């Protein structure tokens, strides 16, 4: 698995972030990063991050071309909900999506308030579904055209 680094989206890197896009046939699976950043601006429960290749660790200025994707999570009550994972079309299938999920899960598990970790996916999104299942997520509900999955961890492991 490649190393990755999650960084805040700031004045310095938001242009690169909004320029990232998925493959044409994947556009219905995830909102544009512009939309996600606007949502995060008005909803402080949302935590948006740019995903960077890890081989730029230690460099003071991170070049835009080292940004490979975007991910956001919401912390609300005891639930850490992962959403809007995307890896730029030219960076896909190199392990960045998996590495970013592993890091987000690590952060959520370390968040005192969080006792449940969940996500959702459009069921026809084979790539994302396979990724989430391989990380141990288990489906528990389907509504509004989305399949909801959770990790057997925390409260969901105890119950
Ligand atoms: C889903 C997504 C984030 C995966 O990112 P990625 O960096 O390409 O994925 P990885 O290289 O880390 O691969 C992780 C796993 O995902 C699955 N996967 C990724 N791309 C796949 C594809 N084209 N077809 C089938 N499975 C795929 C595989 O299970 C893979 O594991 P493997 O390499 O051991 O077979 C990326 O395809 C994407 O941005 N898709 C469009 C946006 C989207 O659908 N986001 C999810 C919203 S719920």
């Amino acid at each position: 698995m490649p190393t990755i680094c999650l960084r805040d989206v700031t004045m310095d890197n938001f242009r690169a972030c909004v320029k990232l896009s998925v493959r044409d046939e994947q556009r219905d699976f995830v909102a544009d990063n512009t939309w996600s950043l606007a949502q995060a601006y008005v909803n402080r429960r949302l935590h948006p991050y740019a995903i960077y290749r890890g081989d730029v660790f230690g460099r003071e200025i991170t070049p835009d071309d080292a940004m490979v994707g975007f991910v956001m999570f919401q912390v609300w009550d005891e639930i850490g909900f992962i959403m809007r994972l995307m890896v730029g079309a030219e960076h896909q299938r190199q392990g960045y999506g998996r590495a970013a999920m592993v890091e987000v899960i690590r952060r959520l598990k370390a968040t005192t308030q969080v006792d449940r970790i969940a996500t959702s996916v459009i069921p026809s999104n084979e790539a994302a579904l396979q990724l989430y299942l391989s990380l141990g997520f288990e489906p528990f509900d389907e509504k509004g055209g989305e399949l909801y999955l959770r990790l057997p961890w925390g409260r969901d492991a105890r119950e």
Side-chain angles (χ1 to χ4, degrees):
M1 199 164 55
T3 53
I4 57 95
C5 170
L6 299 185
R7 289 177 189 250
D8 290 339
V9 181
T10 64
M11 285 276 283
D12 296 327
N13 62 3
F14 85 93
R15 282 185 185 79
C17 186
V18 299
K19 271 195 222 156
L20 277 177
S21 59
V22 297
R23 298 209 300 266
D24 284 347
E25 66 275 20
Q26 299 172 323
R27 286 188 193 277
D28 290 343
F29 293 147
V30 69
D32 284 348
N33 294 343
T34 314
W35 176 258
S36 296
L37 288 171
Q39 266 187 309
Y41 181 75
V42 296
N43 180 351
R44 295 305 160 130
R45 294 184 180 114
L46 295 172
H47 303 268
Y49 293 101
I51 306 167
Y52 283 85
R53 295 191 334 244
D55 54 1
V56 295
F57 275 125
R59 286 177 34 188
E60 247 174 64
I61 298 167
T62 307
D64 283 355
D65 67 4
M67 190 190 292
V68 295
F70 177 82
V71 65
M72 191 152 88
F73 58 80
Q74 175 170 257
V75 175
W76 193 350
D77 291 339
E78 58 175 19
I79 302 173
F81 193 90
I82 306 169
M83 55 205 284
R84 309 289 165 77
L85 172 70
M86 63 81 71
V87 170
E90 64 276 34
H91 305 295
Q92 292 184 13
R93 299 258 40 188
Q94 294 171 55
Y96 295 124
R98 182 185 299 282
M101 284 295 291
V102 168
E103 173 59 14
V104 169
I105 291 166
R106 187 192 69 76
R107 288 186 183 206
L108 288 173
K109 285 182 173 174
T111 304
T112 315
Q113 181 189 347
V114 172
D115 204 19
R116 289 188 139 149
I117 297 175
T119 190
S120 74
V121 63
I122 295 172
S124 59
N125 188 352
E126 273 294 317
L129 182 58
Q130 281 314 311
L131 170 59
Y132 300 155
L133 292 174
S134 73
L135 288 165
F137 281 89
E138 297 171 352
F140 70 96
D141 198 7
E142 194 164 358
K143 60 181 172 219
E146 296 258 335
L147 181 67
Y148 287 79
L149 304 104
R150 63 190 173 200
L151 275 184
W153 172 84
R155 184 162 166 185
D156 290 312
R158 294 192 299 273
E159 283 180 351

